[in-house]
PDB file of all heavy atoms in Angstrom:
ATOM      1  N   PHE A   8    -167.391-163.822 126.825  1.00 90.00           N
ATOM      2  CA  PHE A   8    -166.353-162.932 126.259  1.00 90.00           C
ATOM      3  C   PHE A   8    -165.224-163.635 125.454  1.00 90.00           C
ATOM      4  O   PHE A   8    -164.878-163.110 124.439  1.00 90.00           O
ATOM      5  CB  PHE A   8    -165.721-161.951 127.312  1.00 90.00           C
ATOM      6  CG  PHE A   8    -166.685-160.794 127.656  1.00 90.00           C
ATOM      7  CD1 PHE A   8    -166.831-160.390 128.945  1.00 90.00           C
ATOM      8  CD2 PHE A   8    -167.399-160.157 126.633  1.00 90.00           C
ATOM      9  CE1 PHE A   8    -167.744-159.353 129.325  1.00 90.00           C
ATOM     10  CE2 PHE A   8    -168.212-159.139 126.971  1.00 90.00           C
ATOM     11  CZ  PHE A   8    -168.317-158.622 128.351  1.00 90.00           C
ATOM     12  N   ILE A  11    -166.903-164.411 122.069  1.00 94.00           N
ATOM     13  CA  ILE A  11    -167.012-163.210 121.322  1.00 94.00           C
ATOM     14  C   ILE A  11    -165.623-162.769 120.797  1.00 94.00           C
ATOM     15  O   ILE A  11    -165.519-162.387 119.613  1.00 94.00           O
ATOM     16  CB  ILE A  11    -167.682-162.085 122.133  1.00 94.00           C
ATOM     17  CG1 ILE A  11    -169.154-162.372 122.418  1.00 94.00           C
ATOM     18  CG2 ILE A  11    -167.587-160.737 121.395  1.00 94.00           C
ATOM     19  CD1 ILE A  11    -169.813-161.489 123.398  1.00 94.00           C
ATOM     20  N   ILE A  13    -162.994-164.628 120.152  1.00 95.00           N
ATOM     21  CA  ILE A  13    -162.547-165.536 119.004  1.00 95.00           C
ATOM     22  C   ILE A  13    -163.314-165.188 117.799  1.00 95.00           C
ATOM     23  O   ILE A  13    -162.768-165.231 116.641  1.00 95.00           O
ATOM     24  CB  ILE A  13    -162.768-167.050 119.469  1.00 95.00           C
ATOM     25  CG1 ILE A  13    -161.807-167.391 120.565  1.00 95.00           C
ATOM     26  CG2 ILE A  13    -162.638-167.998 118.310  1.00 95.00           C
ATOM     27  CD1 ILE A  13    -162.095-168.698 121.166  1.00 95.00           C
ATOM     28  N   ALA A  15    -164.585-162.328 116.914  1.00 95.00           N
ATOM     29  CA  ALA A  15    -164.136-160.994 116.424  1.00 95.00           C
ATOM     30  C   ALA A  15    -162.737-161.197 115.751  1.00 95.00           C
ATOM     31  O   ALA A  15    -162.535-160.573 114.675  1.00 95.00           O
ATOM     32  CB  ALA A  15    -164.003-160.036 117.562  1.00 95.00           C
ATOM     33  N   TRP A  36    -156.663-154.938 116.673  1.00 91.00           N
ATOM     34  CA  TRP A  36    -157.900-155.384 117.059  1.00 91.00           C
ATOM     35  C   TRP A  36    -157.728-156.775 117.646  1.00 91.00           C
ATOM     36  O   TRP A  36    -158.379-157.166 118.643  1.00 91.00           O
ATOM     37  CB  TRP A  36    -158.910-155.401 116.011  1.00 91.00           C
ATOM     38  CG  TRP A  36    -159.591-154.167 115.821  1.00 91.00           C
ATOM     39  CD1 TRP A  36    -159.366-153.192 114.856  1.00 91.00           C
ATOM     40  CD2 TRP A  36    -160.595-153.443 116.755  1.00 91.00           C
ATOM     41  NE1 TRP A  36    -160.186-152.059 115.077  1.00 91.00           N
ATOM     42  CE2 TRP A  36    -160.847-152.202 116.214  1.00 91.00           C
ATOM     43  CE3 TRP A  36    -161.105-153.882 117.991  1.00 91.00           C
ATOM     44  CZ2 TRP A  36    -161.719-151.346 116.921  1.00 91.00           C
ATOM     45  CZ3 TRP A  36    -161.955-153.033 118.577  1.00 91.00           C
ATOM     46  CH2 TRP A  36    -162.296-151.827 118.064  1.00 91.00           C
ATOM     47  N   ALA A  44    -160.301-161.327 126.237  1.00 91.00           N
ATOM     48  CA  ALA A  44    -160.519-162.722 126.604  1.00 91.00           C
ATOM     49  C   ALA A  44    -159.676-163.084 127.877  1.00 91.00           C
ATOM     50  O   ALA A  44    -160.229-163.739 128.733  1.00 91.00           O
ATOM     51  CB  ALA A  44    -160.117-163.642 125.461  1.00 91.00           C
ATOM     52  N   PHE A  68    -158.830-149.852 136.428  1.00 88.00           N
ATOM     53  CA  PHE A  68    -157.857-150.015 135.397  1.00 88.00           C
ATOM     54  C   PHE A  68    -158.380-150.216 134.016  1.00 88.00           C
ATOM     55  O   PHE A  68    -158.012-149.654 133.026  1.00 88.00           O
ATOM     56  CB  PHE A  68    -156.815-151.091 135.724  1.00 88.00           C
ATOM     57  CG  PHE A  68    -155.816-151.504 134.695  1.00 88.00           C
ATOM     58  CD1 PHE A  68    -154.821-150.570 134.365  1.00 88.00           C
ATOM     59  CD2 PHE A  68    -155.950-152.625 134.040  1.00 88.00           C
ATOM     60  CE1 PHE A  68    -153.880-150.955 133.322  1.00 88.00           C
ATOM     61  CE2 PHE A  68    -155.096-153.012 132.996  1.00 88.00           C
ATOM     62  CZ  PHE A  68    -154.072-152.184 132.686  1.00 88.00           C
ATOM     63  N   LEU A  72    -158.353-147.882 130.729  1.00 88.00           N
ATOM     64  CA  LEU A  72    -157.782-148.458 129.502  1.00 88.00           C
ATOM     65  C   LEU A  72    -158.777-148.262 128.348  1.00 88.00           C
ATOM     66  O   LEU A  72    -158.371-147.977 127.228  1.00 88.00           O
ATOM     67  CB  LEU A  72    -157.427-149.946 129.679  1.00 88.00           C
ATOM     68  CG  LEU A  72    -156.649-150.685 128.654  1.00 88.00           C
ATOM     69  CD1 LEU A  72    -155.293-149.984 128.487  1.00 88.00           C
ATOM     70  CD2 LEU A  72    -156.579-152.085 128.921  1.00 88.00           C
ATOM     71  N   VAL A  98    -160.022-131.190  95.376  1.00 94.00           N
ATOM     72  CA  VAL A  98    -160.677-131.659  94.220  1.00 94.00           C
ATOM     73  C   VAL A  98    -161.713-130.713  93.733  1.00 94.00           C
ATOM     74  O   VAL A  98    -161.785-130.401  92.507  1.00 94.00           O
ATOM     75  CB  VAL A  98    -161.280-133.081  94.449  1.00 94.00           C
ATOM     76  CG1 VAL A  98    -162.160-133.514  93.299  1.00 94.00           C
ATOM     77  CG2 VAL A  98    -160.171-134.051  94.615  1.00 94.00           C
ATOM     78  N   GLU A 114    -173.033-115.175  77.364  1.00 55.00           N
ATOM     79  CA  GLU A 114    -173.737-114.357  76.345  1.00 55.00           C
ATOM     80  C   GLU A 114    -174.038-115.113  75.048  1.00 55.00           C
ATOM     81  O   GLU A 114    -174.925-114.856  74.353  1.00 55.00           O
ATOM     82  CB  GLU A 114    -172.848-113.107  75.912  1.00 55.00           C
ATOM     83  CG  GLU A 114    -172.720-112.091  77.067  1.00 55.00           C
ATOM     84  CD  GLU A 114    -171.690-110.981  76.698  1.00 55.00           C
ATOM     85  OE1 GLU A 114    -171.207-110.971  75.661  1.00 55.00           O
ATOM     86  OE2 GLU A 114    -171.479-110.210  77.654  1.00 55.00           O
TER      87      GLU A 114
END
Side-chain angles (χ1 to χ4, degrees):
F8 282 138
I11 292 172
I13 291 169
W36 277 108
F68 170 73
L72 188 66
V98 169
E114 292 174 3

